[in-house]
């Protein structure tokens, strides 16, 4: 099975402007597709901006809303799958969500953040209740988490047990938590024997200073691609052969003893 070249779009888009963020996405999708990427991953709340206060509710839309249709058209035009974050409205509730659309524009998966971070998120979002959401792309099983979710080892282990090969983590990770991008994410990839694409916002936005440092971490714990602090499009390979060899050499899932862990739940 061939590698999946994966593009990480480190950008805050255009906070408060869905059309502006879509323009950034369209340009990045064109560049990524021209570089041979089959998947483009964007940050948390990319479509609308993160620190936009009550505009979270105003700009929230259903999973099949106008913004979603525009992203699907971009994906189909460039022939590349796209994962992106946005605020999802479902009745009176708003979720911090991430969606994956295929290279033909078809919706493959939609995930709602299960672990909300800080007063801002608790004030504006309801928590999701599905811990594992997956999609298939190019023979790989993709999984979705959002930012703070990946800091809970139980979340990532649930994906490992469900067979996730590449975990997509749109994020809005801020100062002073750089160590999550630098250290926690590669360890999560290694201990769960999967690839993790962790894609951050960048720059000052409201009260938050987003630190970039997006990365593609491999199952061997190595960082396969790493962005700096500014806006950037970086590419890395998700190699099924490396994944298979690493899982054979590091059989954490096979060596587990679940009977010893019942007290954890």
């Amino acid at each position: 099975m061939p590698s999946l070249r994966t593009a990480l779009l480190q950008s805050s888009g255009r906070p408060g402007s869905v059309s502006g963020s879509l323009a950034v996405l369209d340009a990045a999708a064109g560049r990524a597709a021209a570089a041979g990427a089959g998947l483009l991953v964007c940050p948390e709340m990319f479509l609308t901006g993160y620190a936009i206060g009550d505009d979270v509710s105003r700009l929230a839309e259903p999973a099949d809303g106008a913004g979603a249709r525009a992203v699907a058209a971009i994906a189909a035009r460039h022939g590349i799958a796209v994962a992106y974050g946005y605020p999802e409205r479902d009745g009176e509730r708003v979720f911090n969500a991430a969606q994956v659309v295929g290279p033909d524009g078809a919706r493959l998966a939609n995930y709602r953040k299960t672990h909300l971070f800080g007063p801002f998120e608790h004030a504006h979002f309801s928590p999701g209740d599905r811990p594992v959401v997956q999609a298939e792309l190019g023979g790989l099983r993709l999984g979705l988490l959002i930012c703070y979710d990946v800091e809970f080892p139980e979340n990532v282990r649930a994906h490992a047990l469900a067979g996730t090969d590449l975990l997509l983590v749109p994020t809005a990770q801020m100062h002073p938590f750089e160590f999550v991008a630098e250290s926690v994410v590669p360890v999560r990839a290694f201990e769960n024997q999967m690839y993790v694409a962790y894609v951050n916002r960048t720059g000052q936005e409201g009260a938050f200073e987003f630190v970039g440092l997006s990365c593609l971490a491999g199952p061997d714990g190595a960082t396969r691609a790493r962005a700096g602090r500014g806006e950037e499009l970086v590419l890395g390979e998700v190699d099924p052969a490396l994944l298979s060899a690493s899982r054979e050499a590091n059989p954490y899932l096979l060596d587990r003893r679940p009977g010893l862990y019942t007290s954890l739940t």
Side-chain angles (χ1 to χ4, degrees):
M1 188 165 58
S3 295
L4 175 66
R5 181 163 293 178
T6 301
L8 315 181
L9 175 56
Q10 180 166 285
S11 170
S12 290
R14 300 294 179 264
S17 172
V18 172
S19 62
S21 296
L22 286 168
V24 173
L25 174 61
D26 193 16
R31 289 165 55 205
L39 171 65
L40 173 64
V41 187
C42 305
E44 181 177 5
M45 292 286 285
F46 177 79
L47 200 60
T48 60
Y50 181 92
I52 57 174
D54 291 339
D55 278 351
V56 168
S57 180
R58 181 179 68 84
L59 295 175
E61 64 171 45
D64 60 354
R69 294 193 295 272
V71 173
I74 289 170
R77 183 162 59 251
H78 296 290
I80 188 171
V82 176
Y84 69 100
Y86 74 107
E88 180 194 355
R89 177 170 294 284
D90 185 355
E92 294 300 311
R93 297 186 297 169
V94 175
F95 298 91
N96 185 335
Q99 190 149 237
V100 181
V101 297
D104 59 355
R107 180 162 37 134
L108 302 181
N110 189 71
Y111 170 76
R112 297 167 171 177
K113 189 174 187 177
T114 55
H115 293 73
L116 302 180
F117 177 79
F120 176 81
E121 291 193 9
H122 283 277
H124 289 92
F125 300 108
S126 297
D129 56 10
R130 287 185 62 195
V132 176
V133 171
Q134 296 172 308
E136 301 291 327
L137 180 68
L140 292 169
R141 185 167 296 176
L142 310 182
L144 281 166
L145 293 177
I146 299 175
C147 197
Y148 193 41
D149 289 332
V150 81
E151 298 176 40
F152 291 82
E154 299 90 344
N155 279 349
V156 188
R157 181 50 54 88
H159 269 278
L161 294 174
T164 292
D165 299 311
L166 169 59
L167 184 63
L168 311 181
V169 189
T171 192
Q173 196 254 311
M174 57 201 69
H175 179 76
F177 305 110
E178 288 89 338
F179 67 89
V180 175
E182 294 170 335
S183 301
V184 174
V185 170
V187 168
R188 288 283 179 272
F190 179 69
E191 68 190 2
N192 291 287
Q193 288 300 294
M194 62 174 62
Y195 282 89
V196 179
Y198 185 81
V199 187
N200 199 12
R201 305 179 69 82
T202 182
Q204 196 73 34
E205 192 178 328
F208 306 110
E209 180 190 350
F210 299 116
V211 299
L213 301 175
S214 300
C215 67
L216 178 66
D220 54 358
T223 301
R224 301 283 159 179
R226 169 76 73 185
R229 297 289 184 124
E231 291 214 357
E232 193 173 349
L233 183 71
V234 298
L235 296 107
E237 300 290 337
V238 175
D239 182 359
L242 173 64
L243 189 61
S244 179
S246 184
R247 286 173 171 172
E248 185 174 352
N250 303 287
Y252 286 124
L253 299 185
L254 291 176
D255 290 343
R256 290 172 69 251
R257 298 180 61 193
L260 299 179
Y261 315 144
T262 55
S263 64
L264 296 178
T265 57

